[in-house]
Amino acid sequence: MSTTTIRLEEQLKARIAQAAARAGKSPHAFILEALASTVEHDEIDAEMHRIADERWAKVQRTGATVPWSEAKAYIQARAARQKAAQPAARKPPR
């Protein structure tokens, strides 16, 4: 395991110590967990953007989309834990 040095303002260091104590952890463990969580969130965010970019490129390439009324009905049904057929993307009528 490698060592990395970070410089913290005294006020932040004190806040970390207090938060770590509330969590029942050492400041070191608290900082490691915070860093791991931040990196994980960044990786999830990057993957979401990658998928969104792929899907947007497909919409631009094909012109096919799902009408909002169908997407909304599907989302509401799924949120209510009901089975619902996923709406299919299609080109709008001309």
Side-chain angles (χ1 to χ4, degrees):
M1 184 179 295
S2 65
T3 300
T4 299
T5 302
I6 59 172
R7 288 171 180 38
L8 302 173
E9 294 178 2
E10 288 301 319
Q11 187 178 21
L12 178 58
K13 186 176 178 180
R15 290 173 58 207
I16 290 169
Q18 290 172 351
R22 284 191 300 271
K25 300 175 183 177
S26 69
H28 176 80
F30 188 85
I31 290 169
L32 287 179
E33 187 176 295
L35 289 171
S37 178
T38 299
V39 170
E40 182 178 354
H41 283 105
D42 180 72
E43 290 168 346
I44 290 168
D45 192 50
E47 178 65 5
M48 186 212 47
H49 282 282
R50 185 193 65 75
I51 291 168
D53 288 344
E54 280 181 7
R55 290 180 180 178
W56 179 241
K58 185 176 179 182
V59 167
Q60 290 180 314
R61 189 175 62 253
T62 67
T65 59
V66 175
W68 170 241
S69 59
E70 292 177 27
K72 182 180 176 184
Y74 174 74
I75 292 167
Q76 287 174 329
R78 294 299 309 227
R81 298 189 184 271
Q82 299 170 352
K83 290 190 176 186
Q86 188 172 358
R90 59 188 180 277
K91 288 188 177 185
R94 291 185 184 240

